[in-house]
Amino acid sequence: MTQDEHAIGHTLRTLMMAFQRREADLLQSVYTEDADWTNAFGRSLHGREAIVTYLRELFADANFGDGEMRGEPQVDVRAITDDVVVARTYAEITGQRTVDGGTIAVRRNHSLKVLQRQAEGDWRIVSEMYMDARDDVTHVHPGDSG
């Protein structure tokens, strides 16, 4: 494993650990100062402080807190340049509640993260976007089954 692969993995593991432990302060070392972030519900934030503050609130929310990851997330990292990589992740979350009292049986969550090498040699997220897979279908590709 190269030093860059180790550093990228460290950033992604710290992110996952922060979500699992509900510890927003761990995210200070994950995002760049000017990072942008959009969640699966369309909320967009700019800047590490805004992201960490929002996630601190989210982690304290009982609806979010009831959700648990089902297994380890799938991660695929692709180098764009020597200093930029894109990480695609997929995770399944069960038991998360909604504001109206419902429960999301299985939330299928995808994310796209752009990480950039920092001057110190660590890698941080500069942009991150989440989306949830939906069951509605608006188009069936001829090669798709079902």
Side-chain angles (χ1 to χ4, degrees):
M1 176 178 292
T2 69
Q3 187 175 2
D4 285 334
E5 290 170 333
H6 178 74
I8 292 164
H10 175 74
T11 298
L12 295 174
R13 283 188 303 278
T14 301
L15 176 69
M16 183 177 69
M17 187 183 324
F19 271 80
Q20 287 176 335
R21 294 181 182 175
R22 310 293 195 251
E23 291 182 29
D25 290 335
L26 292 173
L27 299 171
Q28 292 289 342
S29 67
V30 168
Y31 296 101
T32 59
E33 185 177 333
D34 65 343
D36 61 78
W37 180 92
T38 303
N39 72 8
F41 304 98
R43 176 149 189 130
S44 290
L45 301 168
H46 183 78
R48 176 177 48 229
E49 292 310 315
I51 296 166
V52 172
T53 297
Y54 177 78
L55 290 173
R56 186 176 289 114
E57 293 169 12
L58 181 66
F59 292 168
D61 183 87
N63 292 327
F64 182 82
D66 279 352
E68 289 188 23
M69 270 222 232
R70 194 156 107 181
E72 291 291 317
Q74 299 170 14
V75 180
D76 179 46
V77 178
R78 177 180 172 201
I80 304 301
T81 70
D82 288 344
D83 296 322
V84 176
V85 298
V86 174
R88 293 182 307 142
T89 66
Y90 173 76
E92 292 184 350
I93 299 109
T94 60
Q96 190 170 351
R97 290 185 291 147
T98 59
V99 174
D100 63 3
T103 301
I104 302 170
V106 179
R107 184 173 169 197
R108 298 180 325 274
N109 185 263
H110 297 266
S111 72
L112 186 67
K113 304 161 187 350
V114 179
L115 292 89
Q116 183 178 39
R117 182 197 324 267
Q118 303 301 294
E120 309 79 33
D122 61 333
W123 288 74
R124 292 190 181 206
I125 296 172
V126 297
S127 186
E128 183 173 37
M129 182 177 284
Y130 290 89
M131 67 150 265
D132 284 354
R134 297 174 49 140
D135 293 325
D136 322 348
V137 177
T138 61
H139 171 75
V140 177
H141 184 280
D144 292 346
S145 61

